[in-house]
Structure formats: C-alpha cells, structure tokens
DNA sequence: CAATTTCATTGACCAATATCAAGAATAATT
DNA sequence: AATTATTCTTGATATTGGTCAATGAAATTG
C-alpha cells in the first residue's frame, strides 16, 4: 500500500523503518466522486497526500459560482501551507473522480520528519511547485481574457478535449459554456481551428498563440 | 550594513562567520524610484533580498495595462522560486520608491547555505508566506468584485488612504480611477463611509465587511 | 428505434467595468 | 493671488462576458 509512496519525491529517500513509522501515523481513506475533501475555512489537523483520483480545488464567489483554482493529480501533497501555517483552508476541494488519500497526522509528521534535510528540501520543492502553479492561475485568469484562455487551453490540452465535456472545460476555464461555445465558433470562423465531431483540430497554432503570448 | 539582516528571519540564526561569508557572495545595490528591478521573462542568477523601499510586482496584459500582483516591503526575499526552479521571472518588478536590495549569488548560496536545516526551514516559511500572499491575490482579484475590493481595502488600509493618490489606489486594486471614484461615492451614499478632504472615515465597518466576507 | 434526458448552440438581453471626453477640484508654481 | 498643471469626478458610450430562454443535437434508456 504505502509502497506507492516510494515513487513520490517527498518520501523517496526514506528507509523502511521511516516508511513504517509514516504508516503508523497515517491512514488511507477512500472517497467517492463528488465528495468534499475539505471546505474553505475548515481547520486542518492532518496533512493530505492524494494517492488516486482527481481533486478539484475551488473558491466560491458572492454569487455562489465556483472559481476553479487547481486540479491535483496523484501523487501530490495537498495544501501543505495550511499545515505549516496552522491556518484554515483557503479554498474547498472536491473529488472529481473516485479517489484515495493518505491522511497523515501533521503534528507528528512535523516533529519526526520535517527536520530531516531531505524531507525539508523536498518540501521546498513541493511548495515552489505550488507557487508556480498559483502564478500560472494568476497569469491565466487575471491577465488573460476568455479568448486567450481558450486559445491557451487548446494549444496546451488539444488532445484532452475529446474526453471532456464542453461544460467541464468551460468550468475549468472559469467561463460559461455559452461563452466557450461562442469563442470556439469565432476561432473556427477565423480559420484557426476546425470543429469536428468530438474533436478540435488546430489549423494554425501560431495564430492561436497570438491571443495569449 | 549586513547587520540589518540579523533582524530577518532567514538570517537570524547565522553566526558572524556565516554572515561574513554571505556578505562575500553578495552585494548591495541602490535603486531610484521607478527603476525596473527585473522584467517578466528575465533569467535570474541572483537571489534578491529587499532591504529598503517598496517594490511593486506586476504583469502586463494584452492591452498593455499593468496587473499589480504584489507589493514587497523590507525585509523580504523576492521571487525565490525563480532561483529554486531555475525559471524565468513570471512578472516584472519596479521600485515604487527609492530602495536598496541585497543581491546574493544564488548558486553559492544554495551550495553553502540552503542545506542548513535552519535556513531551509526558514526558506519553507518564506515560501509558505508567499503562497498565502498569492492565495490572497487570487481571493481578492478573482473572486471579489470591484466594490468588495474597495471595501476590503478601506477596512484594511483605511489610514494609508490619506497618503496615497486615488489613482495609485485604483491601480493597486486593479481598477480604473473612475471606477474607484464611483464606488467611493456609492459607499458614501450608503452611509458606510464619509469622504472628507484627503481622508476617508469609516462610519460602518460591519456594513463594509458585508461586501467581502 | 422511439422516447427521454443531457448537453451544446444560438439569440436577446443585462450587468459590470473600461474607455473617452469634459468639467470640477485641488495642488503647485510664478 | 493668479496661473497652470495635476488629479478627481461625472456623464456618455463601448466592451466583455454572464443570464435566461429556446432550439437543436447527442447520448442514454426502455
């Protein structure tokens, strides 16, 4: 069970004894699709490592709309700052698929593991990865308009489009399905993409990139 | 000169020898108001610690408008991720006042200092502080509307308003001066604030908070 | 395969905020 | 104090994207 963690950078250098101890102070929980892992404002006593499934992190604006911030994929530590800073979750998290998570007693983890230079260096890496991610959220959502966000998404995730519902993509891009639909039509009219059934073909990648680069 | 650093958490536990070595691998540079410390996309060979002055960090959108992300105040490490991840600056930085910065050779710093558990723990703190900051940028700019941003600003920085030009405040809140002016008028009409010459008096803090809490 | 449900598109309209231009107030300079 | 420059406010208009409602197209179910 815990072997999977060996593949995860935070735990890679741990010997058997340490991993066993980690197992002692943690447990694995399964979640169904749609389950809320935590709500914005919740207090955190545990550190969470996502083992399986996709986790969506979002805030809710005044009108009750979701503003989607991240998607976490296995294996990832979720919201370590909340533990480090003894703060409350700044956003909510919901499982987008069935999933599993390792729930670690943070107090013990900090005491027994975090002083280890290897672990703390890995922690630094994990935090800086998160900062990069947040910078990207900001760059995408604060600096770019809807058309640019769509163009970027097509260029970076063109292949995924066939698997995802349009309404899902729209939500991830923080826009309505109507807006997405109109923008796709526009890009299609401009001859930058071709909308085939269930698929979007990029005709002019450079043209798309001019919207966001 | 370097003594000032003793007050900064990242360097607090360093002994004289270490501080001296730090001085060896770094130098202090003065900047005039309006100077660009780095541009978005620049590569970073040094780690920067802001010693004096206010540094504004921003991106530029397609229309050429600034989108202001942070203000850094002394003493703060600037954009450590850029060093840690060997990436390019994700935003530009400009001195809003005259200032000074400690420019540290990062390669040497990483080699000689970062393995030290105390330093790396402090680094973790610094990174997590930055994440909190970014979370706040997102919470403020992506999920709140203009009125909420203004209400929040008044509640949190009421005193500073007298020192700042309205157009400056508007820029920091990522809105136009016209919008700010209209919102202040609205809040004033609602009896939540009173606009005196050069000053804004909060009449009903709870009323203001309802806009953003 | 017909019926039903879900999802995507389209059009008409609305709300929030930006833009542009003019005027009013304030501050700085002579 | 008068003049000039700067900043602030106000109104008119434009733009972007959201909302609501209707229709069309796919997918699912019986």
């Amino acid at each position: 069970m815990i072997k999977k963690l060996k593949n995860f950078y935070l735990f890679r250098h741990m010997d058997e004894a340490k991993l066993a101890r980690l197992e002692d102070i943690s447990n694995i929980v399964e979640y169904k699709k749609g389950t809320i892992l935590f709500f914005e404002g919740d207090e955190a006593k545990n550190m969470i490592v996502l083992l399986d499934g996709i986790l969506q992190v979002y805030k809710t604006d005044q009108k009750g709309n979701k503003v989607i911030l991240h998607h976490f994929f296995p294996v990832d530590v979720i919201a370590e700052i909340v533990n480090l800073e003894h703060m409350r979750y700044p956003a909510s998290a919901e499982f987008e698929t069935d999933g599993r998570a390792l729930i670690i007693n943070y107090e013990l983890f900090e005491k027994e593991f975090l002083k280890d230079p290897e672990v703390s260096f890995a922690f630094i890496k994990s935090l800086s990865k998160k900062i990069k991610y947040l910078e990207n959220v900001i760059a995408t959502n604060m600096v770019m308009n809807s058309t640019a966000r769509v163009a970027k998404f097509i260029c970076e995730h063109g292949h995924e489009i066939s698997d995802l519902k349009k309404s899902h993509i729209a939500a991830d891009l923080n826009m309505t399905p109507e807006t997405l639909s109109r923008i796709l039509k526009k890009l299609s009219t401009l001859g930058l993409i071709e909308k085939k059934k269930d698929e979007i073909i990029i005709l002019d990648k450079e043209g798309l990139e001019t919207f966001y680069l």
Side-chain angles (χ1 to χ4, degrees), chain A:
Chain A
M1 205 57 113
I2 212 94
K3 269 180 226 146
K4 188 163 188 177
L5 295 178
K6 268 299 232 188
N7 299 321
F8 180 47
Y9 60 96
L10 191 54
F11 308 115
R12 190 165 298 147
H13 0 68
M14 291 189 183
D15 55 34
E16 292 301 317
K18 268 189 179 168
L19 280 176
R21 175 60 184 152
L22 184 65
E23 206 161 359
D24 277 354
I25 65 170
S26 63
N27 59 310
I28 290 174
V29 181
E30 313 229 334
Y31 299 90
K32 285 276 164 221
K33 176 178 173 176
T35 312
I36 304 293
L37 183 57
F38 50 79
F39 280 108
E40 181 172 351
D42 281 358
E43 224 172 315
K45 297 209 179 56
N46 301 305
M47 191 168 89
I48 300 171
V49 179
L50 180 65
L51 298 176
D52 284 301
I54 300 175
L55 188 71
Q56 181 191 72
V57 174
Y58 62 92
K59 283 178 169 270
T60 307
D61 70 13
Q62 276 109 341
K63 295 187 201 162
N65 298 320
K66 273 188 186 180
V67 178
I68 297 181
L69 303 183
H70 300 249
H71 287 98
F72 285 108
F73 299 91
V75 176
D76 228 332
V77 187
I78 310 300
E80 331 68 317
I81 358 114
V82 173
N83 304 123
L84 279 165
E85 297 281 325
H86 304 289
M87 57 191 276
R88 284 159 188 278
Y89 287 107
S92 307
E94 174 181 334
F95 275 95
E96 228 173 59
T97 64
D98 290 356
R100 280 188 324 142
L102 181 72
I103 309 294
I104 305 173
N105 180 318
Y106 178 70
E107 207 187 328
L108 295 175
F109 179 82
E110 178 173 310
K111 215 177 290 171
E112 301 178 24
F113 290 83
L114 202 50
K115 303 288 167 185
D116 176 345
E118 296 290 2
V119 173
S120 75
F121 192 72
F123 229 80
I124 288 177
K125 281 286 167 189
S126 166
L127 289 170
S128 68
K129 188 174 147 197
K130 217 134 289 185
I131 289 180
K132 274 166 80 172
Y133 204 109
L134 288 174
E135 296 279 2
N136 184 54
V137 169
I138 289 172
T140 306
N141 290 282
M142 283 178 57
V143 180
M144 297 180 2
N145 62 23
S146 300
T147 305
R149 297 210 295 284
V150 173
K152 181 170 186 243
F153 185 88
I154 293 173
C155 290
E156 293 178 356
H157 308 271
H159 41 290
E160 294 173 32
I161 289 179
S162 30
D163 317 327
L164 293 170
K165 274 186 270 189
K166 295 256 167 74
S167 54
H168 188 119
I169 297 171
D172 288 356
L173 294 174
N174 289 320
M175 65 185 65
T176 61
E178 292 94 324
T179 299
L180 175 60
S181 175
R182 288 176 180 121
I183 288 169
L184 289 175
K185 194 181 177 186
K186 183 176 77 179
L187 296 177
S188 183
T189 308
L190 289 170
L192 301 175
I193 60 173
E194 191 183 336
K195 290 203 290 173
K196 288 237 173 135
K197 168 145 151 56
D198 245 24
E199 197 187 2
I200 286 180
I201 297 166
I202 298 175
L203 297 178
D204 178 0
K205 186 154 186 173
E206 290 198 1
L208 285 175
E209 285 169 351
T210 58
F211 281 100
Y212 67 95
L213 289 184

